[in-house]
Amino acid sequence: MTARPPVEALECMMLERMMLIRAYEETLVDLHGRGRAAGTCTAIGQEASAVGVVAALTPDDLILTNHRSAGHLLARGADPGRMLAEVQGKSGGYCGGKSGSLHISAKELGVVLTSTIVGGELALATGVGLSRSMQGGPGIVVCFFGDGAACEGRFHESLNLAAVWSLPILYVCENNQWQAFVHRKETMTADGVAGHAAAYGIDSAVVDGNDPLAVFDAAAAAVATIRRTGKPFLLEAMTYRLRGHFEPDDQSYVDPGELARWRERDPVILLRRRLERDGLLDAAAATRMEESVRARMEAAAAFAEASPYPAPEELTRDVYA
């Protein structure tokens, strides 16, 4: 099992990383509003899930993610400047400006792919897991998906193959309650997704996805089980996205009371309050952390703005014929 660092160091690191993810996505929303970036799918409100899981991984582990990928990439250590450049179609981005926000991959970080197809990463995770299993490497595969993807046939196909082939895959369902513009209660009778795992002989756990330390502990235990057994595991993080499905989206279809209740459980605010309450971070230090993150995002935005667009000859590079 991944050894937990001292709580103070771990939670302070998590808060700073969550602040960075929040600031990045808010910057992206602002750029879109000013016509400087295309619309994107944010995961504001889900930062604790991304940070908690990724903190439990090692550099050998590989990640496949979905259209709400910014948190996973930044939690893994991605450069926000290169990410913004990618979203804006600039050559300084991770994929040379060709992926936008919905298909970013970062090989050097072990982020194999981002799939904008709902459940697309689930279909591909088994192949990556089989490769890792056959090569006998030390790492596992982590596949992030949402509750909407759990309503797709490929979710069940992926779990079935992973179980039959004993693949080292950690399936992470970030259950954010909404499937595009439809509430999950309209598409499933069960209260969650984890229960499906038992039918395939896969162990599972459910965790408060707005508590990064709880997510870390649950993910670390799941990762340890996978490394020991070589078998898949399903972790469901119950969380909530505080913005709409896609920018711009006024969330007019969301019950205001539900949204207000989840805003009170904003993971960034809750963790900061807890650290200050427990004396692990004073208000001045928290403010300095916030200012540092803002300065980093200003530098990232400047880098992206200054990055040139790809040259015309790049149009056919990295394209299969």
Side-chain angles (χ1 to χ4, degrees):
M1 182 172 175
T2 301
R4 183 204 277 186
V7 171
E8 178 179 2
L10 178 61
E11 291 199 300
C12 286
M13 177 278 290
M14 287 178 165
L15 177 61
E16 185 171 30
R17 197 58 60 88
M18 288 164 62
M19 283 181 171
L20 177 63
I21 295 169
R22 178 68 60 87
Y24 171 87
E25 296 209 296
E26 288 178 342
T27 297
L28 199 53
V29 169
D30 176 66
L31 287 170
H32 169 71
R34 293 189 287 115
R36 302 297 300 164
T40 189
C41 296
T42 71
I44 290 175
Q46 301 177 209
E47 297 86 357
S49 172
V51 168
V53 171
V54 175
L57 306 180
T58 70
D60 293 315
D61 300 324
L62 301 177
I63 295 173
L64 292 85
T65 179
N66 61 6
H67 50 285
R68 302 188 195 281
S69 63
H72 310 136
L73 282 151
L74 290 167
R76 189 65 164 177
D79 181 337
R82 291 185 65 188
M83 286 181 60
L84 282 179
E86 185 61 41
V87 173
Q88 292 180 287
K90 302 294 190 68
S91 61
Y94 274 100
C95 302
K98 297 180 179 181
S99 78
S101 68
L102 301 181
H103 296 280
I104 296 178
S105 63
K107 184 178 180 180
E108 62 266 43
L109 299 174
V111 181
V112 179
L113 61 87
T114 294
S115 173
T116 189
I117 304 298
V118 175
E121 67 281 8
L122 286 163
L124 297 167
T126 48
V128 178
L130 180 61
S131 172
R132 181 50 52 100
S133 180
M134 293 175 70
Q135 291 175 352
I140 69 167
V141 176
V142 181
C143 180
F144 288 96
F145 63 101
D147 48 295
C151 294
E152 298 275 345
R154 68 193 75 192
F155 165 72
H156 297 277
E157 293 169 0
S158 185
L159 263 64
N160 183 60
L161 275 181
V164 171
W165 291 345
S166 294
L167 301 181
I169 302 175
L170 173 60
Y171 291 97
V172 181
C173 177
E174 294 179 304
N175 191 332
N176 66 13
Q177 316 301 310
W178 282 91
Q179 302 170 10
F181 309 104
V182 179
H183 198 281
R184 69 174 177 84
K185 291 182 179 179
E186 298 179 57
T187 65
M188 58 178 68
T189 56
D191 196 39
V193 172
H196 292 301
Y200 303 102
I202 295 176
D203 290 333
S204 65
V206 181
V207 66
D208 178 358
N210 282 25
D211 183 339
L213 194 61
V215 174
F216 171 83
D217 286 339
V223 167
T225 298
I226 296 170
R227 296 196 201 284
R228 185 181 72 252
T229 65
K231 296 180 179 181
F233 193 102
L234 172 60
L235 177 64
E236 182 174 15
M238 305 301 286
T239 183
Y240 196 88
R241 61 170 165 81
L242 296 175
R243 290 190 68 85
H245 168 60
F246 191 81
E247 296 296 330
D249 178 354
D250 63 8
Q251 292 183 288
S252 59
Y253 49 89
V254 178
D255 173 42
E258 176 184 281
L259 186 57
R261 288 191 297 274
W262 279 97
R263 286 195 186 283
E264 292 176 357
R265 299 196 58 231
D266 184 316
V268 179
I269 294 174
L270 289 181
L271 180 57
R272 178 171 178 169
R273 285 176 180 169
R274 187 167 76 197
L275 290 173
E276 292 180 358
R277 181 199 66 206
D278 294 345
L280 299 177
L281 185 74
D282 61 44
T287 298
R288 287 195 298 272
M289 183 184 292
E290 201 169 40
E291 291 172 347
S292 174
V293 165
R294 279 201 299 268
R296 188 175 177 187
M297 282 311 308
E298 288 173 3
F303 169 84
E305 184 66 26
S307 183
Y309 287 103
E313 56 267 25
E314 288 294 315
L315 183 64
T316 56
R317 193 186 301 274
D318 303 320
V319 177
Y320 292 100

